[in-house]
């Protein structure tokens, strides 16, 4: 969903960017509010890594976000495209989580956001059935437009192949909290240690999946990618 005066506001934001910019997020989800109001998204940002130091330009219309997600609306420079081809040729995890976590990218975000996702008509996600979710999760973040229910059902890992058990953000968080509460109530050092190990293992797996090794290219591959990047519709 595009905001009113989308074109003029986007041109204004691009004009205010520093000359060495790589990516401008026109729409995003996650930890992108310039004031630091992230809500539950801060936990996802903390676990996934790749956070940045928040930085504001003087006009306040673009800023460096703490930890963004979402690839539904963004502009990329030729330099930025080259970096993405070099540092993120193939993502091992959600591509937005991996790409926007690359510290090599000079990444900026427009404020306020000019494009937002809709989640009622999407087939992307972990679990379509939201009837069982509590009412406090059926809300929408006014700044990013993201549905908390959709984010709660977002897939993290799948164990046992395509038809195996799907671990979503909500299931992972719920299992961690429930196990930790039970261990504390039972006052069992063994259970507390076991649950702490489980939480650490889950966080480590997500960090490993979001880690992206630098691709080693042959000269012919580099020349081919440079030609493709030059032919793409990019913002110089």
């Amino acid at each position: 969903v595009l905001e009113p005066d989308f074109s003029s506001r986007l041109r204004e934001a691009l004009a205010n960017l520093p000359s060495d910019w790589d990516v401008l997020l026109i729409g995003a989800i996650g930890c992108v509010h310039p004031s630091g109001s992230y809500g539950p998204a801060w936990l996802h940002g903390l676990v996934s890594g790749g956070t940045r130091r928040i930085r504001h330009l003087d006009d306040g219309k673009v800023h460096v976000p703490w930890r963004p997600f979402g690839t539904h609306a963004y502009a990329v420079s030729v330099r930025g495209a080259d970096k993405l081809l070099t540092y993120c040729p193939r993502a091992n995890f959600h591509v937005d989580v991996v790409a926007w976590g690359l510290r090599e990218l000079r990444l900026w975000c427009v404020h306020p956001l000019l494009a937002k996702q809709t989640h009622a008509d999407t087939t992307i996600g972990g679990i379509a059935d939201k009837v069982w979710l509590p009412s406090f999760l059926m809300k929408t973040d006014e700044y990013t437009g993201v549905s908390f229910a959709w984010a709660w059902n977002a897939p993290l890992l799948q164990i046992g192949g395509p038809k195996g058990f799907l671990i979503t953000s909500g299931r992972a968080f719920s299992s961690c909290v429930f196990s930790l509460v039970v261990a504390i109530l039972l006052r069992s050092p063994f259970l507390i240690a076991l649950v702490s190990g489980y939480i650490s293992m889950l966080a480590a797996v997500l960090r490993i999946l979001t880690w992206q090794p630098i691709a080693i290219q042959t000269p012919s591959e580099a020349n081919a990618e440079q030609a493709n990047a030059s032919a793409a519709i990019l913002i110089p």
Side-chain angles (χ1 to χ4, degrees):
V1 178
L2 303 182
E3 294 296 306
D5 303 323
F6 173 85
S7 298
S8 61
R9 292 166 65 184
L10 176 57
R11 284 194 295 268
E12 188 176 4
L14 289 168
N16 290 327
L17 284 174
S19 59
D20 61 350
W21 72 279
D22 293 325
V23 173
L24 174 66
L25 299 178
I26 304 168
I29 58 178
C31 307
V32 295
H33 198 293
S35 70
S37 302
Y38 306 141
W42 72 269
L43 183 61
H44 193 186
L46 188 65
V47 172
S48 62
T51 57
R52 289 176 166 81
R53 182 176 63 87
I54 300 174
R55 175 186 169 193
H56 303 270
L57 292 186
D58 293 337
D59 57 10
K61 294 178 180 178
V62 290
H63 67 282
V64 176
W66 187 62
R67 187 51 169 106
F69 304 106
T71 54
H72 51 287
Y74 65 95
V76 59
S77 68
V78 173
R79 184 189 301 106
D82 184 61
K83 287 184 179 180
L84 287 171
L85 290 171
T86 301
Y87 295 101
C88 190
R90 180 181 298 172
N92 299 319
F93 196 52
H94 295 279
V95 65
D96 58 324
V97 178
V98 176
W100 302 157
L102 294 173
R103 298 186 185 277
E104 293 80 4
L105 280 181
R106 297 183 181 274
L107 186 146
W108 296 82
C109 184
V110 66
H111 171 69
L113 298 174
L114 301 179
K116 298 179 180 179
Q117 295 189 41
T118 59
H119 301 285
D121 55 351
T122 182
T123 59
I124 300 175
I127 303 173
D129 184 14
K130 302 179 178 65
V131 176
W132 62 277
L133 292 176
S135 58
F136 71 89
L137 284 175
M138 304 306 291
K139 298 180 180 180
T140 300
D141 179 27
E142 294 183 1
Y143 186 76
T144 63
V146 69
S147 163
F148 291 130
W150 175 84
W152 185 264
N153 282 333
L156 292 180
L157 302 168
Q158 190 154 10
I159 301 174
K163 296 183 178 180
F165 180 73
L166 181 64
I167 300 178
T168 65
S169 298
R171 285 176 172 175
F173 179 76
S174 299
S175 63
C176 290
V177 172
F178 177 78
S179 302
L180 189 59
V181 169
V182 170
I184 293 174
L185 290 177
L186 293 177
R187 298 181 180 179
S188 170
F190 172 75
L191 284 180
I192 293 176
L194 189 65
V195 172
S196 299
Y198 164 71
I199 295 174
S200 300
M201 180 191 68
L202 186 60
V205 168
L206 294 178
R207 283 293 184 95
I208 291 172
L209 288 175
T210 55
W211 176 75
Q212 197 66 26
I214 299 176
I216 300 176
Q217 298 176 319
T218 64
S220 60
E221 290 174 335
N223 292 334
E225 288 190 351
Q226 184 175 3
N228 290 337
S230 301
I233 302 175
L234 302 174
I235 299 174

